[in-house]
Amino acid sequence: HQAVHLACLSKTRVVVWEDPHLHLSCSRPLMAPSTASSGPPHDAKLWQTTIQGNSSGSHPGGTPGSSSATTTSSVDGEFKVVGMCPGVVVVGTSSGSVIVYSYNPRNNNGSASQLRRYLRIPPPLSGGSSDPVEVVSVQVFEQQGPGNSNKISVFVCYNRQTNGNGGTNNNTGSGGGAGASGLCCYDMPMPTLTSTISAPSARHDLDGRHISTGRLVDAYHQLAGGGGTTSTTTAARLTIARPDGLYTYSTTERVSVSPIDGNKLTVAMIPP
């Protein structure tokens, strides 16, 4: 049995919960959860950001590498979306910044632990007080990096909150000029229990058009080389539904377009 990890998000807080009684299986739990008079079950694992404020506001999400993980600041606004893979939680904010947390999924102390802030990615250059962006989707993948080391790839979708005329931006435009990005992928080393970094190891600007909602985005792993029963390596893929078609991207480039015209409400992809 593989215990399920759940990431829960509010406007000011993120919590990762490992439920030892909810398994990736159709079987019933191996044992009944032990309950306390208040709070979570005794044998559940819990990782969370604290709710202590940060007076300076310069390190939203906590000072890198510290046990303190503040959750809100005037710089980053509210938490909007969350994505995760084992040991890594990524949060997108209303200001366009992205905060990456790390935790130890093999922590067996059975008590609450703090998520550690690993990296803060500032908003793209197209953001600003007069034309702010927000994060509408984050998709996180663990992949094989150079020298058989693992790395993290994070797809981030942005939406411009206004179009310059007081209206809401949609996903049909061509972008906001030089430095503008509607879709980026950030690569970074897999965090350790104590590591922090100041910037991603690579940023790939995949599309300058903004995305109005995360409902138009889906991501999946695809077998490398187009599939096959003998392939064991996978590649991350992300698909965006736009009015003129379905656009699919790898972590470094756009790989295909399916010209299907018409407005879309949502998208869900099944890997080939």
Side-chain angles (χ1 to χ4, degrees):
H1 291 276
Q2 297 291 329
V4 171
H5 284 202
L6 309 172
C8 305
L9 191 69
S10 70
K11 291 182 179 181
T12 59
R13 195 176 186 187
V14 58
V15 175
V16 176
W17 177 291
E18 179 188 276
D19 191 335
H21 310 290
L22 180 63
H23 301 276
L24 298 179
S25 169
C26 293
S27 303
R28 291 185 176 182
L30 299 179
M31 58 184 294
S34 59
T35 58
S37 58
S38 63
H42 289 302
D43 47 1
K45 298 178 188 176
L46 198 65
W47 300 265
Q48 58 186 319
T49 54
T50 69
I51 56 176
Q52 299 170 356
N54 187 340
S55 58
S56 67
S58 60
H59 290 293
T63 303
S66 72
S67 60
S68 172
T70 57
T71 57
T72 180
S73 77
S74 59
V75 175
D76 289 304
E78 299 175 349
F79 290 166
K80 300 290 289 187
V81 291
V82 63
M84 70 179 303
C85 69
V88 178
V89 181
V90 180
V91 176
T93 71
S94 59
S95 72
S97 62
V98 175
I99 303 174
V100 182
Y101 296 99
S102 65
Y103 69 98
N104 180 11
R106 291 175 293 277
N107 177 18
N108 294 316
N109 62 10
S111 61
S113 299
Q114 299 301 322
L115 295 172
R116 298 177 60 88
R117 191 170 79 92
Y118 176 62
L119 169 67
R120 177 186 181 269
I121 304 173
L125 294 178
S126 57
S129 59
S130 61
D131 194 16
V133 296
E134 63 178 351
V135 178
V136 296
S137 174
V138 290
Q139 304 285 343
V140 187
F141 292 91
E142 179 181 354
Q143 300 196 101
Q144 183 174 324
N148 293 325
S149 61
N150 287 348
K151 69 174 184 178
I152 298 296
S153 294
V154 181
F155 290 100
V156 182
C157 297
Y158 300 96
N159 182 38
R160 184 174 291 115
Q161 296 184 29
T162 63
N163 60 15
N165 298 315
T168 301
N169 186 62
N170 56 41
N171 66 341
T172 61
S174 58
S181 285
L183 170 62
C184 295
C185 185
Y186 301 94
D187 294 335
M188 63 199 72
M190 172 66 77
T192 65
L193 297 182
T194 59
S195 62
T196 61
I197 57 177
S198 59
S201 54
R203 165 180 163 169
H204 307 281
D205 294 328
L206 303 179
D207 202 314
R209 294 176 292 177
H210 292 78
I211 299 96
S212 60
T213 172
R215 295 193 303 269
L216 300 174
V217 181
D218 197 15
Y220 56 91
H221 269 122
Q222 179 179 358
L223 290 177
T229 57
T230 60
S231 178
T232 57
T233 59
T234 60
R237 294 288 185 264
L238 180 132
T239 295
I240 296 177
R242 300 187 185 275
D244 59 343
L246 302 178
Y247 290 74
T248 299
Y249 306 83
S250 69
T251 58
T252 58
E253 62 183 351
R254 189 175 73 190
V255 296
S256 68
V257 179
S258 300
I260 305 174
D261 291 332
N263 291 329
K264 284 86 173 174
L265 296 178
T266 188
V267 64
M269 303 300 296
I270 299 177

